Amino acid sequence: MPKPLPNKIPMREQTPQERVKNFKEVPFGYTEEEAVIEAKRCLACKKPSCVAGCPVEIDIPGFVSRIAEKDFKGAIKVLKQKNVLPAICGRVCPQEDQCEKVCVLCKKMEPVAIGRLERFAADWEAKSGIVDMPEKKPATGKRVAVVGAGPAGLVFAGDLVQMGHEVTLFEALHKAGGVLVYGIPEFRLPKAIVQREVEYIERLGVKLMTSFVVGNTQTVDELLQEYDAVFLGTGAGLPWFMNLPGENYSGIYSANEYLVRSNLMKAYLFPQYDTPIVRGKRVATIGGGNVAMDSARTALRLGAEKSMIIYRRSKTEMPARIEEVHHAEEEGIQFEFLTLPVKYYGDENGWVKEMECLRMELGEPDASGRRRPINIPGSEFRIPADTVVVAIGQSPNPLIPQTTPDLQVGKHGNIIADEKTGKSTKKGVFAGGDIVTGAATVILAMGAGRIAAKSCDEYLKTGIW
Amino acid sequence: MFKILLKKELAPSIKLFEFDAPLIARKAKPGQFVVLRINEEGERIPLTIADAKKDSGRLVIVFQEVGKSTKLLGTLNVGDAIIDLIGPLGKPSEIEKYGTVVCIGGGVGTPEIYPVARALKQAGNKVISIIGARSKNLLIMEPEMKSVSDELYITTDDGTYVKKGFVTDELKRLISEGVKIDCIFAVGPVIMMKAVTDVTRPYNIKTIVSLNPIMLDATGMCGVCRVEVGGETKFACVDGPEFDGHKVNFDLLVKRLRTYIKDEKESLDLFEKHSAECG
Ligand SMILES: Cc1cc2nc3c(=O)[nH]c(=O)nc-3n(C[C@H](O)[C@H](O)[C@H](O)COP(=O)(O)OP(=O)(O)OC[C@H]3O[C@@H](n4cnc5c(N)ncnc54)[C@H](O)[C@@H]3O)c2cc1C
Ligand SMILES: Cc1cc2nc3c(=O)[nH]c(=O)nc-3n(C[C@H](O)[C@H](O)[C@H](O)COP(=O)(O)OP(=O)(O)OC[C@H]3O[C@@H](n4cnc5c(N)ncnc54)[C@H](O)[C@@H]3O)c2cc1C
Ligand code: SF4
Ligand code: SF4
Ligand code: FES
């Protein structure tokens, strides 16, 4: 066997100068030829370490070798055995921390570009227009309500409907997809792809009810009168603020607001779409995760002259995907590391004008294993900004726990559910995804949906909790 | 899709719609609101539930045409439908037996206070209502308010109907006449609500106001609706919209309401230009 090429086949993409002026997807994806060459880098290990790195244990050598053999249909089939949303995961999984991190090639060279190949196979299927519908088990007569149409809810609903149960999916917003539609921007995950996956789940027979806020329109207990089981996949949608003086000045956004306006409401197309967004000239985004990168890059595309990331630790501690940080740097985002905002100054109309910051230094590692930032006294300085996006994290939305008294929640407001079954503390109610774990990843939410689906199916068959 | 079953013009640029929305109507309580979206390009706008008919599944809203979305809404007719109607949202009013309650409605605040006044009456309170408008032709829902109030007082800014003055003038009169007031609910323009709280503060009369900040999702996930109450930041869509008026930072509310004033004008101008060309 010839020695594999040392580097991943690069994925062609829009140049930074070009892409900051539009919201189109940045990378173009592999051509068939590129995919085949990349797939051939895989050693098809007998004991593939990569599989253990994937939270849903995709048969990675299985699908990659089919791509190498140009059996693209076969590849997608292997993928879909474990992952119903490969077009999405191929794009947004933090592969460098998961499957690709443990690929054997890493010892000597770059790992196999598993994510890019996954994306390739899924896009190939979509382009071919032939999507195989799986076989459905005979109807059981059982009815299940799924709350929240993010990755966890979509996967749970898709699995259960195939098991022969009648499934209704309730979503508070007017579009299904969760963070995939309201949070992650078009230039990273085109909404047409999410729409395609949602339509697929509907074609499987899932009934979708959007604009239905469980807790308000109906409570979980009311749903339980009509349905045999309920799954809660309501995500971590409650934005955190820092409680700083002046934080309520106009022009200061939570990342959720900024991204919902831009993505879900299409404010970047204002006034063709009715929802406005502040098109700031100097935009400061606070945080170091994917949410912060998405916000800062959105700001550029909305016309910012200067888009800054303000992060209290250093580059190595940033939780964002490496690819996103790289893209952000290429696009000219300015990083202010070891910087902590402490106060805002506004003008006479209540608009933010400046933020006061402190410089930080890194101390001992904290509970998360990252070095703890410590502020340097007397290091105050000001950063002028007309728009600020606070992207420091979010926690579970309290609406469902508040309206479901016998549902136990943890100290961060997360719903307590068994990791192996998805069972909550309330009979007939399952939960999974960010609502249980706190803000995590798409693939982990999907994995949780799948685990809960299996145990829900058991419960529906046996009635044993 | 949510169909319009009834349309009424209550006053120039104030319209009432009844929607076919049984799920929401069944759950709606006084003080709650809905969010609606007219079409695919539309924004999400919050409107108070003016009435909910549980048997027929009808949901009533009353709105004033102020910008693009409300003006566009006003062009729809019976039989037309909007794509989204979400609710009921927000915390319901705290309906209790307080004793004597004063319900104050200014402008389109009157239809918003109406279900609250009715519920307070049903709960056994003595309900004194004060409603006001700029002018006679803008005064709405007088008969409805009368039917749920023990006493009803009316003011118009220009004196074209009943009494010239502001709702706060009538409130001051009641207080000075020694009427014992246990609680006040006030809904209307921000300056009116602020003025009411200024009147009642020295007397320490519990005063509940319904805040109307800019909203987006209205389920607690974005924080655009943040208001300051007693020095703390609250999300009006889930923690409110009703708050203790004496603790509300009204100046902040006014400033935040102006965030998109330029865009709102651009959007409206475009809409009016388009309507003129096509109309
Ligand atoms: C901006 C951003 C970028 C991200 N980037 C990445 C990335 O690159 N890679 C990655 O792996 N992860 C990323 N994540 C994290 C990832 O998106 C989440 O971990 C994942 O979406 C969680 O899925 P979920 O199904 O648990 O919840 P969500 O996707 O949050 O979906 C929950 C859904 O439930 C609905 N809901 C909530 N309450 C109710 C209710 N009461 N009634 C009805 N419906 C309700 C919500 O409207 C929402 O649609 C990102 C997150 C954000 C915000
Ligand atoms: C909880 C809640 C309940 C409400 N109930 C009602 C109701 O029952 N009837 C009704 O007519 N209106 C109500 N409003 C106000 C209504 O939502 C706004 O008038 C509407 O969103 C304006 O949309 P627009 O596109 O027509 O105008 P815009 O173009 O958005 O605004 C035009 C003008 O109205 C002002 N404005 C914008 N938003 C608001 C707001 N939220 N409150 C007050 N002024 C605003 C702007 O500053 C601007 O001057 C409510 C608001 C909230 C938050
Ligand atoms: S789903 Fe994610 S972790 Fe699993 S193989 Fe695909 S890219 Fe890797
Ligand atoms: S570990 Fe790497 S080389 Fe081995 S099978 Fe997995 S992807 Fe291929
Ligand atoms: S409107 Fe978004 S949190 Fe209240």
Side-chain angles (χ1 to χ4, degrees), chain A residues 11-174:
Chain A
M11 199 160 40
R12 288 159 302 108
E13 54 188 31
Q14 291 193 68
T15 64
Q17 297 79 353
E18 196 183 340
R19 70 189 189 230
V20 295
K21 294 192 215 104
N22 66 55
F23 275 80
K24 287 192 217 127
E25 192 176 13
V26 171
F28 296 123
Y30 282 157
T31 61
E32 290 187 10
E33 294 71 33
E34 288 166 337
V36 170
I37 301 173
E38 178 61 30
K40 285 186 175 155
R41 292 182 64 232
C42 171
L43 306 174
C45 308
K46 284 267 149 19
K47 281 194 188 141
S49 48
C50 53
V51 174
C54 169
V56 295
E57 298 180 341
I58 289 179
D59 174 6
I60 294 169
F63 97 81
V64 173
S65 59
R66 280 175 180 75
I67 294 181
E69 291 155 14
K70 296 197 181 162
D71 173 12
F72 305 134
K73 209 175 163 78
I76 191 75
K77 216 163 165 179
V78 174
L79 275 166
K80 285 217 168 154
Q81 282 165 3
K82 291 286 166 85
N83 181 351
V84 278
L85 309 172
I88 293 166
C89 294
R91 286 175 166 81
V92 303
C93 259
Q95 289 99 7
E96 71 267 18
D97 282 328
Q98 298 181 349
C99 52
E100 294 182 14
K101 184 182 186 179
V102 287
C103 167
V104 286
L105 296 192
C106 285
K107 290 186 187 137
K108 297 216 171 97
M109 56 186 100
E110 283 190 358
V112 174
I114 302 169
R116 292 176 187 176
L117 290 171
E118 183 169 339
R119 162 196 172 134
F120 164 78
D123 288 357
W124 180 88
E125 183 193 39
K127 229 187 312 176
S128 76
I130 334 161
V131 178
D132 281 339
M133 294 306 281
E135 232 165 90
K136 262 167 73 170
K137 297 229 176 90
T140 62
K142 298 284 182 192
R143 309 182 69 212
V144 182
V146 183
V147 185
L154 287 171
V155 167
F156 180 92
D159 279 6
L160 271 190
V161 81
Q162 289 179 53
M163 293 165 180
H165 309 297
E166 202 182 307
V167 182
T168 310
L169 176 53
F170 296 97
E171 167 55 49
L173 294 172
H174 56 261

Side-chain angles (χ1 to χ4, degrees), chain A residues 172-175 182 209-213 215-219 222 226 237-239 241 243 247-254 256-258 260-261 264-265 270-278 347-351 397 399 402, chain B residues 2 23-24 26-27 32 37 39-44 68-69 72 83-91 214-224 226-228 233 235 238 252 255-260 263-264 266-267 270:
Chain A
L173 294 172
H174 56 261
K175 268 209 175 67
Y182 80 69
M209 299 271 282
T210 49
S211 293
F212 192 110
V213 188
N216 283 7
T217 317
Q218 260 175 32
T219 61
E222 285 165 329
E226 275 179 64
L238 181 75
F241 285 94
N243 286 321
E247 204 170 28
N248 293 334
Y249 283 133
S250 295
I252 302 182
Y253 285 97
S254 75
N256 269 4
E257 186 196 346
Y258 199 63
V260 165
R261 280 185 187 272
L264 181 70
M265 306 309 297
F270 179 87
Q272 185 197 334
Y273 281 72
D274 290 337
T275 306
I277 192 164
V278 174
D347 66 14
E348 64 285 3
N349 298 317
W351 269 89
N397 189 313
L399 188 57
Q402 272 170 9
Chain B
F2 295 84
L23 280 177
I24 304 173
R26 198 172 64 190
K27 295 281 285 190
Q32 290 188 298
R37 208 164 63 107
N39 55 27
E40 204 43 55
E41 293 79 33
E43 61 185 336
R44 299 167 63 101
K68 152 95 193 255
S69 297
L72 176 62
I83 58 176
D84 289 302
L85 193 60
I86 305 141
L89 300 167
K91 290 209 164 81
I214 296 175
M215 290 188 180
L216 184 59
D217 61 292
T219 63
M221 68 170 278
C222 81
V224 66
R226 54 201 198 275
V227 291
E228 268 172 33
T233 296
F235 289 5
V238 285
L252 178 74
K255 282 181 177 155
R256 286 187 62 83
L257 271 170
R258 296 175 60 85
T259 305
Y260 292 106
D263 305 284
E264 285 156 357
E266 182 184 347
S267 189
L270 200 74

